[in-house]
Amino acid sequence: MAPTTHTVTNQVPPLVGYDVFAADLALSEAVRRHLPAEPSAAALTELGELGRAAGSAQAQAWGAQADGNPPVLRSHDRYGNRIDEVEFHPAWHRLLGHAVGAGLTDAWGRPGGHVRRAAGFLVWTQAEAGHGCPLSMTHAAVPALRTDPALAREWEPLLTSTVYEEGLRPPGEKAGVLFGMGMTEKQGGTDVRSSTTRAQPLSAAGEYLLTGHKWFCSAPMSDAFLVLAQAPGGPTCFLLPRVLPDGTRNPFAIQRLKDKLGNRSNASAEVEFDGTWARRVGEEGRGLRTIMEMVAATRLDCVTGSAALMRQAAAQAIHHCTYRGVFGGPLIEKPLMRNVLADLALESEAATVLAVRLAAAYDADTEGERAFLRIAVPAAKYWVTKQCTPMVAEALECLGGNGYVEESGMPRLLREAPLNSIWEGSGNVQALDVLRALRREPSALNAFLQEVGRARGADHRLDRAIKGMLTELADLEGIEARARRLVERMATVLQGSLLVRWAPPEVADAYCASRLGGDRGSAFGTLPHSLDLAAVVERARPVDR
């Protein structure tokens, strides 16, 4: 041991032992705003418990352990028998078990269920993001399965259970199950219609045998999967269990696990089907329509997951600058650093408010709200997930060299940040999906315009941005080539409208000035100096309130 030479001061304490939910005013206010009165008190209590767990030293240790010990493929047992199992670190199971126990796979059909679940997902993802994949898949499988009432009756109670049971066993012997998804193939990528996996009918009861592959299979140790395959009638959705009712393993060969940039605690696999038993979900030839119900729900989780990463990055940066002194005072009081932190806080709050608003639309489930979601979800998925990576990178820089070191946790956030912009359709896919809705579903645009119009007249910069957006929408010439610019404008106008209606004046003013009024540079930390930046930063500070 080296001798002690001197005492070192000016060290930042770890951000630990706090309530992740209560400390996030943007989130807690949004939940109170959108939750129905009756379940509100119970939900707030549950979210407080989850927030304290997420901010605990134990959960943070689990997150670091799960990320630092990636899953390992066990293709065969000691005797040479094919088993195709993935081994996870115990911390993964603890994170996943806590999440399932907190109801993060259960939202459908409960008053305020989507708002409560989205808030919980945003809170718990801040402990570790990788295990959010099976949570999201399991939650999102419900609307797809409801196209077949018999399948829904059989599987939905297991999907929405608060019991997590690891290991492969017949689903009927478990108190809760997890779902994965397989759509992407080598030759097609985003073009899932080009699937070459074949589905051979086995019985009139909707049983088939599948032969083919999936280039990306999410969460391969799940109990069952929704997959696409070519049936005689065209692309069809199927439910594929890992273990059959008699206890035998369904043919499901895991060829390898993906070596990913981030999301390292979670397994993504290449799998092969060879006479693999599956049940049809929905009609033959209408598989894309069936599984898109699942895709739409997971896209909302992409928005929520990115909002979680952004919030945790901003919280870490503000916390560091609160305690770190430089040039005679705390970093947080230096005008230029305060500008950076306020800019990060704005981006985080805008993402959070939008995510919870979308969840509330799912809860309302009216014709108008469904039409609103048709445009708002892909627009939000495009913009929020795109902003996540540069925002997290800027937050990392606030910690200086310490932020570049793994022990800070910031590199893990940065590696995770690009995932949600790729998962469930990258930026171009989302932008083209918005154009498709604009062309085919006039009610979707009307619902979107009604939503942003609720703040009209409250801020001249927002009014001007809405007018500019309408001008772009009226000019369809070459619209595909400029779809990204249009969708960005739609997303920022929507965020501005929500903040003008619900955020404190200093937050709404700063957002409209910088994002809609054009008074901002191309990098974070270039907000107009005349804004009340200290109030914006203080609102986002991660302290128990």
Side-chain angles (χ1 to χ4, degrees), residues 304-352:
T304 307
S306 290
L309 293 172
M310 294 161 86
R311 168 58 189 171
Q312 183 58 207
Q316 291 287 349
I318 294 171
H319 175 78
H320 176 86
C321 293
T322 298
Y323 289 93
R324 184 73 166 178
V326 63
F327 305 130
L331 259 175
I332 199 170
E333 294 180 2
K334 305 301 179 183
L336 190 53
M337 180 56 81
R338 181 186 295 156
N339 197 311
V340 173
L341 297 175
D343 219 353
L344 298 176
L346 282 179
E347 204 64 48
S348 172
E349 177 151 357
T352 296

Side-chain angles (χ1 to χ4, degrees), residues 259-475:
D259 186 6
K260 298 171 292 185
L261 168 67
N263 199 246
R264 300 190 69 83
S265 69
N266 177 47
S268 301
E270 300 168 20
V271 301
E272 296 282 340
F273 308 142
D274 185 7
T276 305
W277 184 92
R279 271 281 304 274
R280 188 183 68 240
V281 182
E283 300 177 35
E284 257 199 25
R286 298 180 68 83
L288 287 177
R289 179 181 292 275
T290 301
I291 208 166
M292 280 305 294
E293 295 285 347
M294 185 180 194
V295 170
T298 52
R299 284 177 177 175
L300 174 55
D301 276 1
C302 289
V303 177
T304 307
S306 290
L309 293 172
M310 294 161 86
R311 168 58 189 171
Q312 183 58 207
Q316 291 287 349
I318 294 171
H319 175 78
H320 176 86
C321 293
T322 298
Y323 289 93
R324 184 73 166 178
V326 63
F327 305 130
L331 259 175
I332 199 170
E333 294 180 2
K334 305 301 179 183
L336 190 53
M337 180 56 81
R338 181 186 295 156
N339 197 311
V340 173
L341 297 175
D343 219 353
L344 298 176
L346 282 179
E347 204 64 48
S348 172
E349 177 151 357
T352 296
V353 169
L354 178 52
V356 180
R357 172 64 184 94
L358 297 178
Y362 267 95
D363 279 330
D365 198 29
T366 63
E367 183 177 348
E369 291 288 66
R370 288 192 294 271
F372 167 66
L373 288 169
R374 180 63 189 87
I375 281 181
V377 168
K381 202 276 192 187
Y382 170 82
W383 182 241
V384 172
T385 63
K386 276 276 181 285
Q387 288 297 93
C388 186
T389 301
M391 188 269 194
V392 172
E394 191 68 54
L396 181 152
E397 188 176 324
C398 291
L399 276 67
N402 292 319
Y404 202 68
V405 174
E406 288 291 341
E407 290 174 333
S408 73
M410 299 301 284
R412 173 153 54 101
L413 295 180
L414 184 57
R415 287 194 301 272
E416 193 74 25
L419 172 66
N420 287 321
S421 64
I422 299 169
W423 191 32
E424 303 301 5
S426 55
N428 285 355
V429 173
Q430 305 308 312
L432 293 174
D433 197 27
V434 172
L435 294 191
R436 190 177 301 110
L438 291 173
R439 288 169 173 148
R440 298 180 183 178
E441 303 176 48
S443 63
L445 178 59
N446 290 337
F448 182 87
L449 294 177
Q450 286 177 8
E451 179 68 23
V452 300
R454 291 189 172 96
R456 217 162 184 171
D459 187 285
H460 68 279
R461 295 155 300 194
L462 174 61
D463 290 346
R464 191 162 55 243
I466 293 174
K467 184 177 179 181
M469 179 187 70
L470 292 172
T471 300
E472 286 197 51
L473 287 168
D475 179 14

Side-chain angles (χ1 to χ4, degrees), residues 185 196-199 210-214 253 271-276:
E185 299 193 2
T196 59
T197 297
R198 303 187 310 277
L210 307 188
T211 302
H213 75 275
K214 294 298 171 184
V271 301
E272 296 282 340
F273 308 142
D274 185 7
T276 305

Side-chain angles (χ1 to χ4, degrees), residues 93-178:
H93 295 294
R94 294 187 178 108
L95 288 163
L96 197 50
H98 198 103
V100 171
L104 299 190
T105 61
D106 182 17
W108 306 95
R110 296 176 52 181
H114 287 278
V115 168
R116 177 198 164 280
R117 180 193 170 272
F121 192 79
L122 201 155
V123 164
W124 190 246
T125 296
Q126 293 182 58
E128 198 281 320
H131 75 288
C133 175
L135 294 174
S136 183
M137 297 284 105
T138 303
H139 155 71
V142 171
L145 290 177
R146 285 181 174 177
T147 61
D148 186 320
L151 279 178
R153 283 192 300 272
E154 178 183 352
W155 287 91
E156 192 169 331
L158 296 173
L159 290 165
T160 58
S161 169
T162 56
V163 177
Y164 170 61
E165 294 188 24
E166 63 178 280
L168 296 177
R169 298 193 304 281
E173 297 178 7
K174 301 183 76 172
V177 300
L178 296 176

Side-chain angles (χ1 to χ4, degrees), residues 164-210:
Y164 170 61
E165 294 188 24
E166 63 178 280
L168 296 177
R169 298 193 304 281
E173 297 178 7
K174 301 183 76 172
V177 300
L178 296 176
F179 262 48
M181 180 171 67
M183 293 177 64
T184 309
E185 299 193 2
K186 299 174 189 176
Q187 73 285 343
T190 297
D191 183 9
V192 294
R193 289 184 181 275
S194 65
S195 168
T196 59
T197 297
R198 303 187 310 277
Q200 177 186 351
L202 190 62
S203 75
E207 298 175 292
Y208 291 70
L209 295 180
L210 307 188

Side-chain angles (χ1 to χ4, degrees), residues 238-251:
F238 295 93
L239 188 160
L240 186 159
R242 283 292 318 264
V243 181
L244 299 174
D246 64 2
T248 59
R249 298 284 180 95
N250 210 6

